[in-house]
Amino acid sequence: MRDIHLEVDSAALNQPLEAALTSGRYEGSEAKALQLLLRPEDHYFELGGGLGFMSTLAGRIVVDPARIHVFEANPELIPVIKKTWAVNGTGGNVYNFMLGTGKGQHKFHVSKAFWASSGQIDYGNSKTIVVEQRDFLRQLDRKAATFVMMDIEGGERDLLNKVLPPRVRAVVAEYHPTIIGADTVAALWANLESQGFRIAPEASDNKVRSYVR
């Protein structure tokens, strides 16, 4: 996995995840986009930290851990992310929050397959917890974010419909038309384009779309 060591608990290691990890396909589209677009001077801002793979990769480019910010709603993954950073010699800031509009609480559906966990949809085999929510735009400002990475199972619907701070220069997101609808996805892309973002085709595919300005 691009020389990144991941230690995954056997309870979370289902067949699709194991196959993706062993083949090197895990987060492959996002990793390609990050390596093409992230700059050493960026302030990296990730929603959906998962196992800590993407933020570890980011930490090899943005070497100052104070500029790595990761938001993960599943509390069980917080120690996993920290362990991934430790064994790979990177670091950062990780927060057990969801991001949305305003401050409060939000239901989050924790799936046995962690990558299917979502605040938007329950696939039927999840446990539902309540997590703290912080305001998305406020956090972007407070962390001085310039590069936004997002894979949150439909949660992009309620975040990328906003006007992003001018310092945000790149957005890499996995979109989920089966959850939020193809028309909504197209509207999110149009919203970014209206703010001066343009698609980066070399860092986009049929799952992940990257925008820069």
Side-chain angles (χ1 to χ4, degrees):
M1 294 301 299
R2 294 174 171 81
D3 299 321
I4 293 176
H5 182 64
L6 297 174
E7 294 188 12
V8 184
D9 189 288
S10 59
L13 193 62
N14 58 19
Q15 193 278 328
L17 175 57
E18 184 174 14
L21 290 170
T22 56
S23 68
R25 292 183 292 103
Y26 177 69
E27 304 285 25
S29 297
E30 291 93 333
K32 178 183 176 181
L34 184 149
Q35 291 176 306
L36 285 171
L37 300 178
L38 187 63
R39 299 172 181 170
E41 67 270 21
D42 274 322
H43 289 243
Y44 178 79
F45 190 99
E46 181 180 348
L47 293 85
L51 300 176
F53 171 70
M54 293 303 305
S55 52
T56 298
L57 195 60
R60 294 180 173 179
I61 299 171
V62 179
V63 294
D64 181 359
R67 291 191 276 118
I68 301 290
H69 301 281
V70 178
F71 292 82
E72 173 55 56
N74 183 352
E76 297 174 4
L77 292 179
I78 302 302
V80 176
I81 293 168
K82 291 179 177 179
K83 185 173 184 179
T84 298
W85 289 348
V87 299
N88 289 282
T90 59
N93 306 281
V94 61
Y95 313 94
N96 184 207
F97 300 135
M98 285 187 66
L99 296 183
T101 301
K103 185 177 179 180
Q105 295 183 319
H106 200 288
K107 288 183 179 180
F108 186 73
H109 309 291
V110 180
S111 174
K112 290 182 179 179
F114 74 88
W115 53 11
S117 298
S118 172
Q120 305 297 318
I121 185 170
D122 181 353
Y123 290 104
N125 61 347
S126 305
K127 66 176 180 180
T128 299
I129 63 174
V130 175
V131 298
E132 294 296 316
Q133 177 177 288
R134 295 292 183 268
D135 187 76
F136 174 55
L137 294 180
R138 180 171 174 79
Q139 291 299 318
L140 286 174
D141 275 332
R142 292 186 67 180
K143 311 308 181 192
T146 61
F147 188 104
V148 176
M149 173 71 68
M150 185 180 301
D151 182 2
I152 48 176
E153 293 297 307
E156 66 273 11
R157 176 189 62 192
D158 301 321
L159 302 180
L160 293 182
N161 62 346
K162 305 183 186 314
V163 177
L164 303 184
R167 68 168 59 91
V168 176
R169 65 162 198 88
V171 176
V172 178
E174 180 170 323
Y175 292 87
H176 301 83
T178 57
I179 299 175
I180 64 176
D183 290 345
T184 298
V185 169
L188 297 179
W189 294 342
N191 181 54
L192 288 174
E193 290 165 2
S194 74
Q195 299 173 55
F197 287 94
R198 57 177 178 78
I199 189 170
E202 72 280 9
S204 303
D205 58 22
N206 61 352
K207 289 178 56 182
V208 171
R209 194 145 169 162
S210 302
Y211 281 90
V212 296
R213 64 177 174 185

